[in-house]
Amino acid sequence: MTGAEGPDTAARFVAWLEAGGDPGDLFAPDAFADLSLPQWRLQAASAGELAEIRAKSHPWPGRVTVERLDPTPRGWVMQMVERWTDEQGARWYCREMFRADVTDGAITDFAVYCTGDWDEATVHRHAAEVRLSRP
């Protein structure tokens, strides 16, 4: 991986999360992904399977706020918040941590840790019940 590959691939990844659709060459054809959700675990063994999981779980465009992007010897780790509105107008929120290995500008190995999708009621309940030191 060259020095520019990590940030460039991370920026392309965020753009794909925000817009949805076809990821193009963002993922290697044989990319492996391991997704850990609060009460479930999913895996994908190809770029197509990974895009399908995303399309089924988050089919709506949204907004991503990257809180951290740290390079690793093989790619990067990203901490982010995602917000979106579904087809009924309900607003959603989640926090995620991604670890990506990048080769020749494509993600080859990918791990996702997600808080799960919080609806507006959960976001408000959390805000009322928990004081965060770093909001």
Side-chain angles (χ1 to χ4, degrees):
M1 186 175 83
T2 67
E5 274 187 302
D8 176 63
T9 304
R12 290 173 41 228
F13 173 69
V14 168
W16 175 66
L17 290 177
E18 290 183 331
D22 182 0
D25 62 357
L26 176 62
F27 298 99
D30 62 347
F32 176 79
D34 193 356
L35 296 86
S36 296
L37 306 167
Q39 296 183 2
W40 213 247
R41 186 174 178 198
L42 303 171
Q43 292 184 339
S46 71
E49 288 178 8
L50 200 159
E52 183 179 328
I53 288 172
R54 173 66 183 186
K56 286 181 179 178
S57 64
H58 284 235
W60 312 278
R63 189 180 80 240
V64 171
T65 302
V66 176
E67 296 176 336
R68 278 185 77 147
L69 177 64
D70 297 320
T72 68
R74 292 187 277 179
W76 43 263
V77 173
M78 178 187 295
Q79 176 182 318
M80 52 78 87
V81 169
E82 186 172 10
R83 296 178 189 277
W84 67 98
T85 303
D86 69 19
E87 71 274 1
Q88 281 89 32
R91 293 183 301 182
W92 293 85
Y93 162 93
C94 73
R95 291 178 54 82
E96 295 173 304
M97 183 84 68
F98 302 98
R99 192 245 337 120
D101 291 350
V102 179
T103 302
D104 296 328
I107 297 171
T108 56
D109 194 86
F110 194 56
V112 179
Y113 296 89
C114 180
T115 60
D117 300 341
W118 294 10
D119 62 12
E120 287 182 84
T122 304
V123 170
H124 290 300
R125 191 177 108 230
H126 182 267
E129 295 180 17
V130 177
R131 186 181 78 72
L132 298 174
S133 299
R134 295 182 183 181

